[in-house]
Amino acid sequence: MCGRFVATRSPKDLAGLFHVSRWDPEEVLAPSWNVAPTDDVWAVLERADRETGELLRQLRPLRWGLVPSWAKSLNSGAKMINARVETVHEKPAYRRAFTRRRCLVPADGFFEWQPLPVPGTAKPGKQPYFISPEDGQVMAMAGLYEFWRDPAVAAEDDPAAWRTTCTIITTEATDAAGQVHPRMPLAIAPAHYEQWLDPTHQDPDELRALLTTPADGHLDVRAVSTAVNSVRNNGPHLLDAAPPSGPASG
């Protein structure tokens, strides 16, 4: 799974990297070295303009943890931060979003944890690893988004009446990432951004063919401080290298 990641680029930088045509400069998210479920994250998506019908590429803050339109509570999103690529086109919670509401979730990299053997009867610990593209380029993680109507807000036109949430698509991990954890996020290559984001492109097989391993598998994996284990901790020090241990160190 992908349960934590790093996202430190500014909206201005992301707008340029993803050729965004619409974003609100007043919407601000602080850089985060420990993005956790239910946090707001930047997402790139395409929606038709209400007046002209023109498809516009947008940068929006979305709540991480997809909440289906039929869900009774926003809290259900905490359990739906990831969608498995093997079943994303079939599961009721994701299948409509997969054909119509796809997005990109930019990241610097992501964290995974590997159990550490502990002698005796002590409870095993876990070593966190930071996994990122070797070239330092942005990771465009493949995501889906959904709209959820909050029944507690009476007025339909009240901005608070609607919440937009997202999930990240994952696959079986291979290469360096697979030495740490059996699952990893999928990504979209720049050449395929347009096809992935286009809501009129709805063929499930063609869409699944666009999904790739981040950085084409050229990933850097390094052990980092266990400070990242707590969602209360944040800052660039979380990426400081720690002595690697276990199979991933070799």
Side-chain angles (χ1 to χ4, degrees):
M1 65 179 294
C2 173
R4 304 273 187 85
F5 64 91
V6 176
T8 63
R9 288 173 169 83
S10 71
K12 181 178 179 180
D13 288 344
L14 293 174
L17 285 168
F18 291 95
H19 306 292
V20 167
S21 56
R22 176 177 291 178
W23 61 284
D24 184 353
E26 295 185 1
E27 291 182 318
V28 177
L29 296 180
S32 179
W33 289 263
N34 200 0
V35 180
T38 73
D39 285 351
D40 282 349
V41 300
W42 288 119
V44 179
L45 55 92
E46 288 188 358
R47 300 283 296 173
D49 183 271
R50 291 184 178 181
E51 296 182 0
T52 67
E54 178 187 6
L55 280 180
L56 296 176
R57 187 168 297 182
Q58 306 172 31
L59 181 68
R60 292 190 184 184
L62 307 184
R63 188 179 192 265
W64 185 23
L66 188 139
V67 180
S69 59
W70 38 262
K72 295 182 179 179
S73 169
L74 190 66
N75 295 334
S76 63
K79 299 178 181 179
M80 302 179 70
I81 61 171
N82 293 155
R84 297 174 67 93
V85 68
E86 295 88 348
T87 56
V88 67
H89 60 300
E90 302 171 338
K91 293 285 187 180
Y94 303 123
R95 62 190 179 198
R96 286 181 63 85
F98 184 69
T99 56
R100 304 181 184 203
R101 289 179 288 277
R102 297 176 300 276
C103 64
L104 301 172
V105 181
D108 302 351
F110 60 98
F111 294 104
E112 289 296 357
W113 281 259
Q114 185 179 63
L116 293 176
V118 177
T121 59
K123 182 179 179 180
K126 288 188 176 183
Q127 172 64 57
Y129 289 83
F130 180 59
I131 303 171
S132 62
E134 290 178 351
D135 59 8
Q137 296 298 307
V138 66
M139 274 177 48
M141 296 190 292
L144 311 175
Y145 69 96
E146 191 58 88
F147 297 103
W148 182 76
R149 175 69 168 88
D150 188 347
V153 181
E156 188 81 12
D157 58 353
D158 186 333
W162 293 92
R163 299 296 299 269
T164 313
T165 62
C166 64
T167 190
I168 295 168
I169 300 176
T170 65
T171 188
E172 182 179 353
T174 58
D175 303 324
Q179 298 178 44
V180 177
H181 192 275
R183 303 292 297 182
M184 68 182 299
L186 280 164
I188 301 295
H192 297 146
Y193 288 171
E194 185 173 351
Q195 290 174 278
W196 178 255
L197 295 174
D198 183 357
T200 66
H201 187 191
Q202 299 183 4
D203 184 283
D205 292 332
E206 292 180 1
L207 292 169
R208 284 159 60 88
L210 302 177
L211 297 161
T212 62
T213 301
D216 289 328
H218 298 290
L219 298 168
D220 176 71
V221 179
R222 71 175 185 270
V224 295
S225 167
T226 54
V228 74
N229 293 355
S230 172
V231 296
R232 294 187 295 273
N233 296 329
N234 212 317
H237 66 283
L238 297 181
L239 302 186
D240 290 345
S245 59
S249 63

